[in-house]
Each structure stands twice: as C-alpha cells, then as structure tokens.
Amino acid sequence: MTDPGPSTAETKDLPPIAERGAAAAPAASRRTSLLVTFVLGGLTAVPPLSMDMYLPALPQVTAALHSPAATVQLTLTTCLAGMALGQMIVGPMSDKWGRRRPLLAGMVIYILATALCAVATNAELLIAFRLLQGLAGAAGIVIARAVVRDLYDGVAMARFFSTLMLISGVAPVVAPLIGGQILQVTDWRGVFVVLTVVGILLTLLVWRKLDETLPPARRHSGGLGQTLRTMRDLLADRAFSGYLLVGAFAFAALFAYISASPFVVQEIYGASPQTFSLLFGVNSVGLVLVGQINGKVLVGRVSLDKVLGTGLVLIAVAATGLLLMSSGVFGAVGLVPMAAGLFVLMASMGLVMPSTNTQALLRTPHAAGSASALLGTSTFLLGSVASPLVGIAGERTAVPMAVVQLSCAVLALVSFLGMCRPWQRRGETTGSTAGEGNRL
C-alpha cells in the first residue's frame, strides 16, 4: 500500500512548517518485524514498569525509610517529572543525531540509576535516584513514539499505536503482580533489582535489533535555537496544542489513580498488596482490551475525533461516580463499586491515548522527535502535579483522588472542544477523500 499523501482537507489548517515537511511523511506501508514491534512496545513500557512494579511497595517504603506517605509519593512524582524533562532533551537530540545513539545512551543511564535506587538508604536519596531514573528512561518513551512516526502514517499509525498499547499494556498488568510477589520473598529493594535486569535485557535488544529509522537527509542540523523555533511552530498549531493538552489532562487523571490507588485500596479498604495487584491488573486488562477494540474495529470506520470524544465523556462519567461514592453521597460504599468506577476510567484511556498521539503526530512529519517530546513532557508534567494533590487530605479518604480526576477530565473535554474543534476539521477525519493511509 502506498501512502497517497495528505489531501487538501487534511492540510488546509496546518502551519507552513508542517506543510513544508509533509513531503517527508513516512509511507504507511512500511512494516516492522514482530521482534522490533516487541522492542518498541518494551520501550513504551518503561514508565509502567518503573511505576507500577513499585506501587505495592509504597506502604512498605514508608515504614522502612521512616518517612510520611506524602514524602514517599514524591518518589513517584520525581520519576515522572524526570521523564517529562528528559523527553524535552532527548526528543530534539533524536531529530538531530538519529534515534539509536540517544536511545542507547539513555537506557544505559537508566540501568545505573535503577541499581542506585535499590541501595538508597533514605527517602531523599531515593527521590534523587528516581529523578535520574526518570530522566534516562525518557529516552525509550520519546524515541519509540518518534520511530513509529518515522515508519507509519494515517490509519496505519493509529493501528500501530493500538498494537503498542497491547504490548506495553502487558506491563501494567504484570508489573504490580510481580511487585506483589517480590514483596513475599524480599523487600522493596528487590523491585529495583528486577527493574535493573529488565533494563539490561531491553538495552541488549535495542542494540542488536533496532535499526536507525531517521536517515541523515531528514535530520535537523540546527542547534538549540532551531529546536526552540521548531517547538514554537508546533505549539502555534492550535489543533496540535489541543491534542497535546487533551492527552496530558487525560494522563493526569490516570496518574491520579496510579498514585492514590495503593493507599485507597490497601489503607482505606484494607486490601492486601496481592489483592491490590490483582485489581490493578484487571484494570490494565480493560485498558488493553479497549485499545485493541479501538485499533482493530473502530480505526478506519469511525473518525478518531469521535472515538476520542467518547473516551473523554466516559472518563468524566467515571470520575463523577467516584467523587459521589467517595464523598458519601451513596452512604458507605465498599471496594467493589469503587473498583468498577476505576475500571471504567482506566479502560477508557484505550480510546483516548492512541487517538491523541495519532492526531497530533499526523500534523508533524517534519519534527517527530520534537513533537513526541512536547507530547510526552506535557503528559508527564501534569501527571507529576496530580500525584501530590491526591494525598493532600491524608491517607483516609479517596475524595482528593476523585476531585483531581474529575477536574482533569473536564479540562481535557474543554481543550478538545475549544482547541481541536473537531466539527471544523471533519474533512480531515472522515476519510471520504483520502486513501487508507490517511483515512481518519
């Protein structure tokens, strides 16, 4: 299948820089081997591996390091903030020097930082090492997304992002389960030992199996000034910025759940670390299944904007239900109804995340690394803000978590309607005039 190129309807509101770069858009027909697909999925799994395997250990870390829960939650926040900042560094580097070298350097530093986390003697050192871990781990996230943009376009890109969700979605399913089992045979330090081994294996696969996808002719030769101008032009595209904010606010709602759920499930509802891991895994399965329904059934038949809007509405409904239940409107509510609300919220991300990534990156074939960096940085920055907010009222109520989730859902909907304005861009997303490579 040959990429037919962007139609008039698809390029009429792109900024000039995007129009100049459209000729360099990758062919939708390129295919990757199953192993390379697995490697890219593994790279996008770095955040859930670094976060979710550690989640069941949070209460144990709090006791072992003699630190309050709010301080220990900063180990999540700093790792997430590091991943946000690191993407702003690595993304433009990959546009200038190619994808492989920055990726391999980042993975090596990630291994070293994770090993240091395993030997941290106090909360302050753990927070510092987690920051370094996040900075280095950002290379895998941002470059994997840029590689997909190098190789795919249109519907093919949307479907591949859904495939990556299937692969990387296994990580949040198994990571808490592995973390819970690790805690049965050792302490929280063993979690970081396992993460170090995973980092080594993934780095070896990248070194041996992932070829360079950005040829020298398509690399940027400019320095910091050129990078800043490119990012400025990307952000000047209203629709790109809209999808960026939609994805960031949606992820913040998700990270509010990730950060608060260990305390909500274990401390408020008295569940064991193993029960928490099982519930977290079920919710992750929901996200993966919905993502696959999106990629295999909806993409190419329903516009991405309609899928995205539906996902945002479902997140808002779920967050509203969680707020009503946690605030006592329905009286005393057990774990099962709360878990059901969290399941709907997390599963709906399978509709939102692939759609926002695809719609934003479709507009940026000229600077996939920088665009990927902006998408990832905004996502992780807002997620890092959501983390401490969920614990602001202590460990005995789920109301702050639900308030943060609902606020983020509303802001995502406002960004979608106010900036993406899908009703004005219907020609881009129906696919009536474009071939399969651009039928969105």
Side-chain angles (χ1 to χ4, degrees), residues 58-59 61-63 65-75 123-124 127 263 395:
L58 280 179
V61 175
T62 300
L65 298 183
H66 308 289
S67 298
T71 300
V72 173
Q73 282 180 323
L74 285 176
T75 62
E124 289 73 20
I127 289 171
F263 297 98
E395 306 171 28

Side-chain angles (χ1 to χ4, degrees), residues 34-67:
L34 181 61
L35 183 56
V36 171
T37 302
F38 174 79
V39 171
L40 293 176
L43 292 173
T44 62
V46 168
L49 283 175
S50 301
M51 299 292 179
D52 301 344
M53 194 182 294
Y54 173 64
L55 288 178
L58 280 179
Q60 188 181 109
V61 175
T62 300
L65 298 183
H66 308 289
S67 298

Side-chain angles (χ1 to χ4, degrees), residues 176-189:
L177 297 174
I178 295 173
Q181 296 306 311
I182 291 173
L183 294 180
Q184 289 189 325
V185 297
T186 184
D187 62 6
W188 61 272
R189 299 180 189 277

Side-chain angles (χ1 to χ4, degrees), residues 51 73-85 131 248 251-256 259 376-390 404 408:
M51 299 292 179
Q73 282 180 323
L74 285 176
T75 62
L76 294 176
T77 302
T78 52
C79 184
L80 199 63
M83 288 180 181
L85 179 60
L131 175 63
F251 184 82
L254 176 61
F255 198 75
S259 182
T377 297
S378 61
T379 296
F380 283 88
L381 278 178
L382 283 181
S384 66
V385 171
S387 176
L389 292 178
V390 299
V404 171
C408 291

